[in-house]
């Protein structure tokens, strides 16, 4: 969750939610300073419905797509760029090595792209290269993992990590509010990432609303299937009795579910995180412990391309920020369970 003062948050997911088009429907109303160009799109299509304008070259740099969510980020960016006849996308191979990613971004700077979209493997470590781009006159759209200073980007767009934990905690709290001495455990992500800390803080703050619930254990995994399985096995061995589990990430959740099946446990409910298709399918089937997941929509990458195009064409966003794009946009972390899973099924990533 970004720690800066200028933030626009869609708390009901109506503007930048995960339902199919992300920010596209709103950004289809991208407008120049010409008063005649600010009519919003008449349909629900992405901003490709906006008439072609100035040619824009967007450099896109993200971490290595070795995870379902990260792969979906890349796909969303590529697919949105293809919808624009006036956009050329220069995309790097991606790397989880900070030095390698810095080198890739510097290459894009040297190519003099018009706008940069950067999802840093580590926001703190890549802050300086964000500053370098901005000082070179190349505006930066900082995607998800945030740089250390707003001076390193023109616009930040990403998920609400605190809200993700908060909504997971409140969902579990409502399910267990009639049970005395309820116990919950948490399977977190990478603890060296600020986003993981924010998810845990949101979860803990939500549980304060339910005095009957106590968090009895927490393990940090690595957002991988293998780590999810290993860490979940440890939790299950240490905790013979609990009522609910929140897992931060649906990819590592695949491993967690394997460990749960191997242990023969079905005496608790599980809430996942991110919005993988496999999680949606399991929730719909409703034959196991996984009952819900909290979204962290990869459609933010498509929205980042929309914003980068608007920056390159010196446009604002009709109905939101007429002459300039906003400084910050936060997506909403909706809870998906069996009641609304069909609505979100088409947005699930593999």
């Amino acid at each position: 969750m970004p720690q800066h003062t200028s933030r626009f948050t869609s708390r009901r997911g109506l503007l930048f939610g995960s339902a199919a088009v992300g920010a596209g429907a709103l950004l289809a109303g991208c407008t120049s300073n010409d008063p005649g160009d600010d009519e919003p799109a008449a349909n629900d299509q992405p901003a490709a419905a906006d008439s072609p304008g100035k040619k824009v070259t967007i450099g896109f740099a993200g971490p290595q797509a070795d995870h379902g969510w990260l792969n979906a980020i890349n796909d969303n960016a590529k697919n949105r760029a293809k919808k624009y006849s006036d956009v050329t996308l220069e995309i790097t191979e991606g790397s989880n090595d900070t030095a390698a990613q810095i080198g890739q971004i510097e290459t894009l700077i040297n190519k003099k792209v018009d706008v940069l979209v950067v999802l840093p493997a580590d926001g703190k470590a890549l802050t300086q290269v964000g500053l370098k781009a901005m000082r070179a006159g190349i505006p930066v759209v900082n995607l998800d993992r945030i740089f250390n200073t707003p001076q390193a980007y023109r616009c930040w767009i990403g998920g609400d990590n605190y809200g993700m934990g908060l909504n997971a905690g409140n969902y579990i709290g409502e399910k267990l509010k009639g049970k005395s001495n309820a116990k919950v455990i948490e399977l977190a992500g990478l603890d060296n990432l600020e986003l993981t800390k924010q998810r845990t803080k949101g979860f803990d703050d939500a549980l304060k609303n339910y005095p009957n619930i106590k968090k009895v254990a927490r393990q940090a995994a690595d957002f991988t299937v293998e780590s999810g399985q290993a860490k979940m096995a440890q939790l299950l061995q240490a905790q013979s009795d609990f009522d609910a589990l929140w897992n931060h990430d649906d990819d590592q959740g695949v491993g967690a579910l394997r460990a749960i099946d191997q242990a023969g446990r079905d005496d608790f409910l599980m809430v996942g995180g991110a919005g993988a298709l496999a999680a949606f399918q399991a929730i719909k089937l409703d034959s196991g412990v996984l009952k819900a997941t909290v979204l962290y929509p990869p459609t933010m990458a498509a929205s980042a391309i929309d914003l980068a195009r608007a920056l390159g064409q010196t446009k604002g966003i009709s109905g939101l920020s007429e002459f300039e794009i906003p400084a910050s946009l936060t997506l909403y972390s909706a809870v998906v369970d069996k009641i609304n899973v069909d609505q979100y099924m088409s947005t699930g990533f593999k």
Side-chain angles (χ1 to χ4, degrees):
M1 180 177 174
Q3 301 298 313
H4 44 78
T5 57
S6 178
R7 193 179 77 169
F8 180 92
T9 304
S10 170
R11 284 295 172 188
R12 293 187 181 276
L14 295 177
L15 298 182
F16 289 83
S18 62
V21 297
L26 182 62
L27 290 174
C30 282
T31 175
S32 69
N33 293 354
D34 181 346
D37 288 340
D38 63 356
E39 289 300 318
N43 55 35
D44 207 19
Q45 295 306 306
D50 193 15
S51 59
K54 174 187 172 184
K55 299 284 187 181
V56 178
T57 299
I58 300 172
F60 183 89
Q64 185 178 348
D66 55 358
H67 179 280
W69 185 85
L70 288 171
N71 187 62
I73 282 283
N74 284 350
D75 287 346
N76 271 274
K78 291 175 184 175
N79 292 336
R80 182 56 58 88
K82 287 176 184 177
K83 295 182 183 296
Y84 291 117
S85 61
D86 52 19
V87 167
T88 299
L89 188 67
E90 292 271 355
I91 190 164
T92 68
E93 290 184 8
S95 176
N96 292 328
D97 179 83
T98 55
Q101 194 179 19
I102 288 168
Q104 291 169 350
I105 295 168
E106 287 178 336
T107 297
L108 292 172
I109 293 171
N110 292 334
K111 286 184 176 181
K112 296 182 171 24
V113 297
D114 297 304
V115 188
L116 270 171
V117 176
V118 179
L119 197 167
D122 183 318
K124 180 179 179 180
L126 269 77
T127 297
Q128 288 302 313
V129 77
L131 286 166
K132 182 175 181 179
M134 292 288 286
R135 289 165 181 165
I138 301 173
V140 176
V141 177
N142 182 193
L143 180 58
D144 194 42
R145 298 174 188 174
I146 196 166
F147 294 138
N148 266 13
T149 171
Q151 296 184 68
Y153 59 87
R154 167 58 183 81
C155 174
W156 177 88
I157 179 170
D160 186 355
N161 288 290
Y162 177 86
M164 191 180 185
L166 190 72
N167 291 346
N170 282 329
Y171 181 85
I172 287 172
E174 288 301 304
K175 294 296 182 183
L176 299 180
K177 67 181 180 180
K179 182 178 177 59
S180 60
N181 301 316
K183 301 174 185 177
V184 301
I185 64 174
E186 180 182 7
L187 183 62
L190 285 161
D191 261 344
N192 66 329
L193 295 178
E194 180 63 23
L195 65 88
T196 299
K197 298 171 187 175
Q198 287 296 321
R199 291 178 187 184
T200 291
K201 187 176 188 308
F203 187 62
D204 289 346
D205 284 354
L207 294 182
K208 292 175 184 176
N209 297 320
Y210 303 93
N212 63 308
I213 300 174
K214 181 180 179 181
K215 187 167 77 171
V216 295
R218 180 185 185 275
Q219 277 276 11
D222 299 327
F223 290 140
T224 67
V225 174
E226 294 76 18
S227 67
Q229 184 170 356
K231 297 297 185 179
M232 191 68 229
Q234 292 176 21
L235 282 169
L236 291 168
Q237 187 172 17
Q239 303 295 326
S240 59
D241 176 37
F242 60 91
D243 301 289
L245 157 71
W246 182 44
N247 161 56
H248 285 206
D249 175 72
D250 286 333
D251 268 32
Q252 71 183 25
V254 173
L257 286 168
R258 286 179 185 170
I260 291 165
D261 287 344
Q262 288 171 359
R265 297 285 293 274
D266 61 1
D267 54 326
F268 58 89
L269 70 91
M270 174 178 172
V271 175
L277 179 60
F280 290 163
Q281 291 169 337
I283 291 165
K284 183 176 177 65
L285 190 60
D286 196 23
S287 62
V289 297
L290 184 60
K291 302 301 182 184
T293 191
V294 186
L295 299 187
Y296 201 75
T299 50
M300 67 177 73
S303 302
I305 297 299
D306 293 337
L307 291 164
R309 176 178 178 259
L311 267 175
Q313 295 179 344
T314 61
K315 294 180 178 180
I317 300 172
S318 179
L320 176 62
S321 183
E322 296 295 334
F323 303 108
E324 296 285 350
I325 69 166
S328 180
L329 292 160
T330 305
L331 283 71
Y332 181 66
S333 292
V335 177
V336 176
D337 62 9
K338 65 180 180 180
I339 295 172
N340 63 350
V341 68
D342 286 335
Q343 175 187 346
Y344 290 95
M345 191 68 73
S346 64
T347 72
F349 59 87
K350 297 180 180 179

